[in-house]
């Protein structure tokens, strides 16, 4: 139940803080006084898009906060699911900044707009005049039947299965298209892989071959350099090693006469040994290297193959060619496995489709008796609302294919007269008739769903007199069933029935206009009803009529309850 509403810096409202009563309450006020502004503020708490133009001129932010008593509505699962703290008094708050930024809070904890919208839809239902257009929407009509049938669990089960089937179907189509493309590419991929496999690629092969090619191409030059170096070290005439040997031998012969010469002799001998080893290695290398035009041709042929493959596949190393071969191999494996995956997924899709059809059948079976009962109850309610000859039918049809809510179609057929032809309700019903139908729909839904607060925004448009009085009876009865009903109205017959009466009004000062709302006292209520009956000029007759209206309602209630 909505306990209080606080609005600050929203449109024409500088600051508003109002408490609401349980049961049936009414809100009245002149056109343009600000009733729609209050509904717009409540809409923000229900997750609607924020518009910075709604901020009061000069304000940096606006605040809308509502407090709800949720202790009797078993909403703990919602708070547990969203990891929010549960309190018997639930606080929804929305802050909109002039910068365009918006923030939402549930029990002073930051929340997403989707969470606020989900919770708000469980707390309050605002029926505005444009919602009468919903009667023309098949989805609304079908939802009406499902609410009366208490199909929440079955619908959830169906939609989960339906979504899974659709996802599997989309994936299957993607795989079929992928398989068709892969089949077209298979021959090309297989040819490319065959070329790479025939090349027998080896890691680091290219670097080794390039080095070997360099050596073979300069064999004579290398052998000449090795021979010359060897002769410089070992040559009989002018060779370095014979001279070095003679040198360290001479030093050793006199080292006993001078201690430091012993170390120099040892160092010279060590150099001799090292250079002699180098000379022997030069000789060995010279023997190994030879000009081999056959081998050079083999190496160049192999390198040319590697370079050609790299250029073809736009890579620069043998490693990248080997990785590409692995990729081709995986693609061929994938092409082979696609057929198996398609077969498995086709079977899954068919299984899900059969389950969807089965659940759609259960939905149809649950809707048929409810549709029949709804026809009778709607006719009874509309007869009480001044349409004694009304005929109302809920026509259930079948789609060729199942949809998000099953295979059924629902159409409300209506005729207000005995001899009238049953037609789609929005084609033949007047504005007043549609208002009465929507009130009956809301009353029936309210009986099936535990919704704490319902707000009717001028649902009485197009009716007057006794019909308005009967509409007031329905709203009063709805408010008496552990539910809060608030009606924004221009009709005194309905305004008189509220247990509490609020008035929305505007006040002007030198610089601005402010909208306000306040709970009327008993005497103020008489005057407000008198104004609604007679206009701006209060007459004694209008005042007496207003008092009679207020005194008449309890009597009628007692008769109904007796």
């Amino acid at each position: 139940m909505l306990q209080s509403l606080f609005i600050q810096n929203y449109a024409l409202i500088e600051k508003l803080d109002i408490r609401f009563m349980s049961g049936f309450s009414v809100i009245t006020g002149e056109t343009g006084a600000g009733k729609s502004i209050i509904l717009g503020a409540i809409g923000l708490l229900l997750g609607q898009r924020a518009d910075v133009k709604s901020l009061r001129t000069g304000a940096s932010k606006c605040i809308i906060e509502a407090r709800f008593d949720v202790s009797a509505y078993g909403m703990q699962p919602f708070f547990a699911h969203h990891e929010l703290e549960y309190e018997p008094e639930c606080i929804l708050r929305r802050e909109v900044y002039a910068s365009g930024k918006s923030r939402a809070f549930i029990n002073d904890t930051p929340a997403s707009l989707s969470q606020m919208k989900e919770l708000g839809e469980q707390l309050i239902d605002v029926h505005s005049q444009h919602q009468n257009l919903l009667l023309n929407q098949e989805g609304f009509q079908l939802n009406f039947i499902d609410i009366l049938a208490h199909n929440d669990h079955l619908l959830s089960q169906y939609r989960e299965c339906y979504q899974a089937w659709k996802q599997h179907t989309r994936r299957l189509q993607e795989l079929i298209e992928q398989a068709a493309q892969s089949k077209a590419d298979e021959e090309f991929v297989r040819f490319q892989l065959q070329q790479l496999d025939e090349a027998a690629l080896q890691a680091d092969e290219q670097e080794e071959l390039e080095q070997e090619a360099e050596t073979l191409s300069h064999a004579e030059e290398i052998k000449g350099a090795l021979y010359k170096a060897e002769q410089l070290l070992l040559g009989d005439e002018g060779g370095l090693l014979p001279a070095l040997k003679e040198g360290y031998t001479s030093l050793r012969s006199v080292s006993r006469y001078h201690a430091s010469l012993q170390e120099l002799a040892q160092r010279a001998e060590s150099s001799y040994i090292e250079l002699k080893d180098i000379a022997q290695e030069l000789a060995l290398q010279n023997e190994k290297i030879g000009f081999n035009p056959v081998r050079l041709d083999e190496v160049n042929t192999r390198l040319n193959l590697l370079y050609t493959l790299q250029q073809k596949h736009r890579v620069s190393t043998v490693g990248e060619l080997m990785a590409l071969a692995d990729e081709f191999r995986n693609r061929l494996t994938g092409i082979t496995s696609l057929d198996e995956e398609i077969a498995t997924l086709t079977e899954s899709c068919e299984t899900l489709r059969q389950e969807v059809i089965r659940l759609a059948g259960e939905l149809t079976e649950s809707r048929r008796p409810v549709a029949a009962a709804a026809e009778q109850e709607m006719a009874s309610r509309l007869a009480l609302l001044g349409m004694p000859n009304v005929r109302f039918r809920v026509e259930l049809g079948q789609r060729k294919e199942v949809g998000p809510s099953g295979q059924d179609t629902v159409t409300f057929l209506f005729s207000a007269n005995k001899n009238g032809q049953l037609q789609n309700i929005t084609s033949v019903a007047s504005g007043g008739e549609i208002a009465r139908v929507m009130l009956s729909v809301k009353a029936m839904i309210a009986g099936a769903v535990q919704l704490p607060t319902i707000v009717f925004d001028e649902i009485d448009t197009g009716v007057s007199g006794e019909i308005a009085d009967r509409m007031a009876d329905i709203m009063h009865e709805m408010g008496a069933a552990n539910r809060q009903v608030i009606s924004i109205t221009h009709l005194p017959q309905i305004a008189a029935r509220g247990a509490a009466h609020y008035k929305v009004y505007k006040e002007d000062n030198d610089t601005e206009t402010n909208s306000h709302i306040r709970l009327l006292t008993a005497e103020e209520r008489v005057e407000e009803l008198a104004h609604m009956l007679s206009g701006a000029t209060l007459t004694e007759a209008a005042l007496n009529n207003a008092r009679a209206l207020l005194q008449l309602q309890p009597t009628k209630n007692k008769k109904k309850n007796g």
Side-chain angles (χ1 to χ4, degrees):
M1 183 187 80
L2 177 62
Q3 293 181 306
S4 65
L5 179 65
F6 174 82
I7 304 173
Q8 185 174 19
N9 294 330
Y10 181 75
L12 296 179
I13 298 175
E14 180 181 13
K15 189 174 183 180
L16 179 153
D17 193 357
I18 188 75
R19 295 191 62 82
F20 289 96
M21 309 294 183
S22 59
F24 179 43
S25 301
V26 295
I27 298 175
T28 61
E30 297 293 333
T31 299
K35 300 186 293 296
S36 61
I37 295 175
I38 295 173
L39 289 179
I42 293 175
L44 288 178
L45 295 177
L46 300 181
Q48 292 180 7
R49 180 178 176 273
D51 186 351
V52 294
K53 295 179 182 178
S54 299
L55 267 70
R56 186 175 174 81
T57 303
S60 60
K61 73 171 181 177
C62 73
I63 300 173
I64 297 95
E65 180 179 287
R67 294 174 180 264
F68 293 87
D69 180 1
V70 297
S71 57
Y73 298 98
M75 292 186 174
Q76 292 90 335
F78 170 87
F79 290 87
H81 175 71
H82 293 285
E83 298 181 351
L84 295 168
E85 185 175 352
Y86 171 78
E87 295 289 346
E89 182 185 69
C90 176
I91 304 173
L92 296 186
R93 186 169 78 256
R94 185 88 177 270
E95 298 177 357
V96 180
Y97 295 81
S99 63
K101 182 180 179 182
S102 170
R103 301 177 67 193
F105 300 86
I106 298 176
N107 288 342
D108 292 324
T109 300
S112 66
L113 284 184
S114 60
Q115 290 174 336
M116 178 171 273
K117 183 176 186 295
E118 183 181 350
L119 178 58
E121 288 175 348
Q122 298 179 53
L123 294 174
I124 185 168
D125 173 34
V126 179
H127 179 89
S128 58
Q129 293 182 56
H130 76 270
Q131 277 194 311
N132 288 341
L133 300 175
L134 291 174
L135 273 180
N136 196 33
Q137 298 180 12
E138 182 185 316
F140 175 83
Q141 298 172 1
L142 184 59
N143 188 49
F144 168 66
I145 298 300
D146 282 329
I147 289 174
L148 297 183
H150 299 283
N151 275 341
D152 295 25
H153 178 70
L154 182 56
L155 262 176
S156 176
Q157 186 180 0
Y158 171 83
R159 285 170 177 161
E160 182 178 345
C161 187
Y162 179 82
Q163 289 301 322
W165 173 51
K166 285 298 183 182
Q167 288 172 3
H168 278 61
T169 302
R170 285 192 293 269
R171 177 57 181 159
L172 177 60
Q173 186 59 37
E174 290 172 0
L175 286 179
I176 291 173
E177 293 173 1
Q178 183 181 342
Q181 183 62 43
S182 297
K183 292 294 184 184
D185 295 342
E186 181 178 5
E187 185 176 346
F188 171 78
V189 172
R190 197 174 296 281
F191 173 74
Q192 301 299 322
L193 178 60
Q194 182 179 355
Q195 274 193 328
L196 293 174
D197 283 343
E198 288 176 351
L201 302 170
Q202 299 177 26
D204 301 325
E205 175 187 16
Q206 182 174 337
E207 292 79 3
E208 294 173 359
L209 289 172
E210 288 172 341
Q211 182 60 56
E212 186 178 358
E214 284 290 315
T215 301
L216 290 170
S217 298
H218 300 83
E220 293 297 329
E221 186 179 343
I222 295 170
K223 285 180 73 66
L226 289 171
Y227 178 76
K228 182 177 180 180
E230 181 185 359
Q231 289 303 308
L232 287 172
L233 290 174
L234 294 172
D236 293 336
E237 296 181 4
L240 180 58
L241 284 173
L244 184 56
K245 183 176 183 180
E246 184 179 350
Y248 81 74
T249 302
S250 177
L251 286 173
R252 184 175 290 168
S253 66
V254 295
S255 61
R256 63 180 180 274
Y257 306 121
H258 197 292
S260 62
L261 296 179
Q262 179 67 33
E263 181 183 353
L264 288 173
Q266 289 176 352
R267 288 172 64 187
E269 185 179 7
S270 296
S271 297
Y272 171 81
I273 294 171
E274 177 65 21
L275 288 171
K276 186 178 179 179
D277 185 63
I278 290 174
Q280 291 172 347
E281 184 65 29
L282 289 172
L284 287 173
Q285 289 293 332
N286 201 0
E287 289 177 5
K288 290 180 180 178
I289 294 174
F291 179 67
N292 188 344
V294 176
R295 176 56 185 166
L296 179 59
D297 186 59
E298 291 175 353
V299 170
N300 284 332
T301 300
R302 179 64 175 172
L303 284 172
N304 286 335
L305 173 62
L306 297 180
Y307 294 151
T308 300
L309 289 173
Q310 289 169 6
Q311 185 177 13
K312 176 181 179 179
H313 296 290
R314 298 181 181 180
V315 297
S316 57
T317 66
V318 172
E320 290 176 295
L321 286 175
M322 296 173 71
L324 188 60
D326 289 338
E327 182 183 333
F328 287 148
R329 208 169 281 112
N330 291 334
R331 285 178 65 180
L332 288 175
T333 302
I335 291 171
T336 304
S337 63
L338 270 178
D339 290 340
E340 297 176 2
E341 191 174 354
I342 288 172
T344 302
L345 197 55
T346 300
E347 185 177 346
S348 297
C349 282
E350 181 58 25
T351 300
L352 285 170
R353 190 182 76 87
Q354 292 298 331
E355 180 64 7
V356 165
I357 292 173
R358 185 188 70 80
L359 291 171
E362 288 189 19
L363 282 171
T364 299
E365 291 304 313
S366 70
R367 289 163 176 163
R368 281 175 180 160
V370 171
E375 291 177 353
Q376 297 178 5
E377 183 174 352
M378 184 65 74
S380 299
R381 288 180 176 274
L382 292 176
L384 292 174
L385 289 173
M387 289 187 278
N389 298 318
V390 69
R391 287 185 297 150
F392 184 88
R393 180 181 299 169
V394 179
E395 187 175 73
L396 277 179
Q398 288 277 300
R399 303 177 188 275
K400 291 182 178 179
E401 297 291 339
V402 292
S405 297
Q407 201 166 358
D408 301 314
T409 62
V410 174
T411 305
F412 287 174
L413 301 179
F414 175 86
S415 173
N417 306 307
K418 287 183 178 180
N419 58 345
Q421 183 179 357
L422 281 169
Q423 298 182 52
N424 191 307
I425 187 168
T426 55
S427 301
V428 294
S430 66
E433 289 168 343
I434 287 180
R436 282 175 271 180
V437 170
M438 284 302 291
L439 178 60
S440 299
V441 165
K442 292 287 183 176
M444 292 168 68
I445 290 176
V449 179
Q450 196 176 36
L451 189 67
T453 301
I454 300 176
V455 178
F456 290 111
D457 180 20
E458 299 183 9
I459 196 172
D460 47 38
T461 299
V463 300
S464 59
E466 185 180 358
I467 304 307
D469 199 40
R470 292 178 180 177
M471 292 180 76
D473 288 342
I474 292 175
M475 287 185 276
H476 188 275
E477 289 171 5
M478 291 171 65
N482 193 30
R483 187 178 292 105
Q484 183 184 47
V485 177
I486 301 172
S487 176
I488 298 173
T489 182
H490 286 294
L491 297 182
Q493 297 95 324
I494 292 178
R497 295 299 307 277
H501 188 156
Y502 301 87
K503 180 178 180 179
V504 177
Y505 59 98
K506 289 194 297 189
E507 285 185 341
D508 297 325
N509 57 33
D510 293 339
T511 59
E512 58 187 7
T513 299
N514 289 311
S515 287
H516 303 276
I517 182 172
R518 62 186 175 87
L519 178 65
L520 298 181
T521 65
E523 189 57 36
E524 289 172 335
R525 190 173 183 185
V526 170
E527 292 184 6
E528 175 68 7
L529 287 174
H531 279 301
M532 295 173 73
L533 287 164
S534 64
T537 303
L538 278 180
T539 64
E540 190 61 34
L543 290 169
N544 290 332
N545 197 359
R547 294 187 186 100
L549 274 177
L550 288 169
Q551 292 174 356
L552 178 62
Q553 306 311 326
T555 303
K556 289 178 65 177
N557 290 343
K558 288 177 183 177
K559 288 180 180 179
K560 288 188 177 189
N561 296 331

